[in-house]
Amino acid sequence: MSTFTVNDEKQYAVGSDAVYQAALGAIEGLQGKILKQDQGAGTVEARFDKKILGKVLGDRTHMNVTITHPNDDGSAVAVEIYPLNAVGQKLMFGARKGVSRTVADWFYAHLEHRLPK
C-alpha cells in the first residue's frame, strides 16, 4: 500500500441502484474514462487524466468504486484511488501529494450532487 493511495468509504441513505447511477454520472462529470463496470457486483473501475475540469492535478489516477448495501435502508460507497505512471501502472513513488485525495473529494461531491434528495 503506497502512501499515495486513498481508501475511503461513505454511507448514504439511498438505494444502491440510485447510488450506482450517481457514481457513473460523477465519473463522467469529472471527465473520467470508465474501464469496467458491473452493476450486479456494484463495481466500477475508472481512470482520470492529469487534468480534470480544467485543473491540472499533475498525475493520472485510477479509481475502483465498490457500492454495497450493508443494511436495508442505505448504501456504502468505497473508493480506492491511486496515481498512475505514463504507461498506466500504479505509481509507487514520485507522485504529487494530494492528487488522489482531491480526486476522491471531487468524486464524492459529484456523487452527492446526483443523489435523489
Side-chain angles (χ1 to χ4, degrees):
M1 168 91 63
S2 83
T3 57
F4 304 116
T5 300
V6 168
N7 286 292
D8 255 358
E9 184 172 310
K10 286 193 177 190
Q11 309 277 332
Y12 297 101
V14 179
S16 57
D17 286 345
V19 173
Y20 191 86
Q21 293 309 315
L24 294 178
I27 291 165
E28 285 177 25
L30 291 169
Q31 302 166 322
K33 181 173 188 242
I34 293 173
L35 305 174
K36 287 188 205 144
Q37 64 185 81
D38 181 345
Q39 187 161 357
T43 57
V44 184
E45 196 177 315
R47 182 168 293 162
F48 294 94
D49 234 353
K50 290 179 176 186
K51 193 167 146 184
I52 298 176
L53 302 176
K55 295 232 187 322
V56 178
L57 298 178
D59 282 319
R60 294 168 189 84
T61 47
H62 184 92
M63 177 165 78
N64 294 312
V65 182
T66 307
I67 297 162
T68 56
H69 37 91
N71 53 42
D72 293 342
D73 57 348
S75 303
V77 179
V79 297
E80 177 193 35
I81 301 174
Y82 53 84
L84 298 171
N85 65 16
V87 292
Q89 297 162 320
K90 189 170 186 173
L91 204 55
M92 300 309 263
F93 57 90
R96 285 154 190 84
K97 198 171 163 77
V99 172
S100 298
R101 165 71 5 213
T102 298
V103 173
D105 292 346
W106 287 358
F107 170 74
Y108 280 120
H110 277 252
L111 173 82
E112 289 161 10
H113 179 71
R114 286 170 167 78
L115 289 175
K117 297 290 177 264

